[in-house]
Amino acid sequence: MLVDSPPEQRAETAPAPPTRRVTRALGLFVSAAILLAVAVASIAVGAKGLSVEQVWHGLFQDTGTYADVVVADRLSRTVLGLLAGAALGLSGAVLQALTRNPLADPGLLGINAGASAAVVTAITFFGVTSLRGYVWFAFLGAAAVGALVWFLGGSRGATPVRLALAGTAISAALYGYLQAVMITDDAALNKMRFWTVGSLSSATDSTILQVLPFLAVGTVLALALARPLNAVEMGDDTAKALGANLNRTRALAMLAAVVLCGAATAACGPIVFVGLMVPHIVRSFTGPDLRWILPYATILSPVLLLGSDVIGRIVARPAEIQVGIVTALIGGPVFILLVRRRRTAQL
């Protein structure tokens, strides 16, 4: 079900006063500093306890055990967390604007379901066993579902309601297929069980290089859509009056969301709530202007993802809890709180 945007979000986005623009710009610098601190913690902290000196040696001097732990493991998963977190946050913000639903996330349009269904198909019917193979199947599955949702949602006549309904229906069908295959194939169940919870622990340089071009293209496209998506959020009539090309904007927004979320899901598995929570929270202090929401979501979403990954490594030492489980545990209560606050504000 779509949630209508409040009247102030449908109103035309007026230029912010100079003092507010300065405050927002300073906020971006503070957010970047927080992200840097979390990234350093992601490299320095892990299931295997290392001192600061050992971490330093692993990064810059040692070529033995410390380098294997710090560079091969932690540095790669930190870089992937930065990229995937930014992609999930951006895709969530774009979809919230596209559907005019501030509680939307990439799962609303079936992107996660498409990636998961493609991976289980690859495992069961094509014998794919490596993460390298998962990446391409997951991305193709996400892209195929995105295209199907766009077609069923009306293509050039697509509306937020049609897109959401098409995504929900396709997600339900794909998750039914997913469960049926895994129940009847123990090998697929065992291999999918790890991937579907969402994890950064399998990050490698190869995985990062495979998804990096898609993430770069999706990021540039999403940021370039900030101004036309501002018009789309105001409603179709207002957007047309402002000269926005609704069909082109929606098609490009769908493409950006699919590329970003598809690539992130392919590399890490389906990680929930990041694309919902961060853009929604950011909107509460930036206002409805996507020219600020998108950069903030790009910076703060990796903070949530990497922070959750660090927590998962600490609380279960010497083992670790996968990041997708931690974000779900954090995201569930936060989502309930957001819904309750929104309902209270509308009363």
Side-chain angles (χ1 to χ4, degrees), residues 81-107:
L82 289 169
L83 295 174
L88 292 172
L90 265 178
S91 63
V94 168
L95 289 177
Q96 288 176 10
L98 177 65
T99 61
R100 295 200 289 271
N101 178 0
L103 296 179
D105 76 334

Side-chain angles (χ1 to χ4, degrees), residues 71-201:
V71 177
D73 181 16
R74 296 184 190 175
L75 186 59
S76 294
R77 73 191 293 172
T78 299
V79 172
L80 183 59
L82 289 169
L83 295 174
L88 292 172
L90 265 178
S91 63
V94 168
L95 289 177
Q96 288 176 10
L98 177 65
T99 61
R100 295 200 289 271
N101 178 0
L103 296 179
D105 76 334
L108 181 69
L109 298 185
I111 297 172
N112 287 344
S116 299
V119 170
V120 78
T121 299
I123 292 171
T124 304
F125 299 108
F126 298 101
V128 177
T129 58
S130 67
L131 182 64
R132 186 183 183 90
Y134 295 170
V135 167
W136 292 105
F137 275 92
F139 184 77
L140 289 174
V145 169
L148 183 59
V149 168
W150 178 250
F151 174 76
L152 294 178
S155 299
R156 291 184 176 275
T159 64
V161 174
R162 288 180 179 179
L163 290 173
L165 290 176
T168 301
I170 292 173
S171 292
L174 288 177
Y175 279 124
Y177 162 77
L178 190 69
Q179 295 301 319
V181 172
M182 289 197 298
I183 288 173
T184 57
D185 188 334
D186 291 338
L189 176 61
N190 290 331
K191 293 173 183 175
M192 280 291 294
R193 187 168 51 190
F194 180 78
W195 186 83
T196 53
V197 298
S199 173
L200 299 176
S201 61

Side-chain angles (χ1 to χ4, degrees), residues 38 41-42 77 81 198 200 271-274 277-278 300-316 320-331:
V38 174
S42 178
R77 73 191 293 172
L200 299 176
I271 297 175
V272 297
F273 286 117
V274 175
M277 279 194 298
V278 176
L300 292 177
S301 295
V303 171
L304 174 61
L305 188 61
L306 285 177
S308 299
D309 191 42
V310 172
I311 291 172
R313 291 184 238 169
I314 294 174
V315 297
E320 63 179 72
I321 300 175
Q322 304 305 322
V323 66
I325 298 174
V326 179
T327 58
L329 291 174
I330 295 173

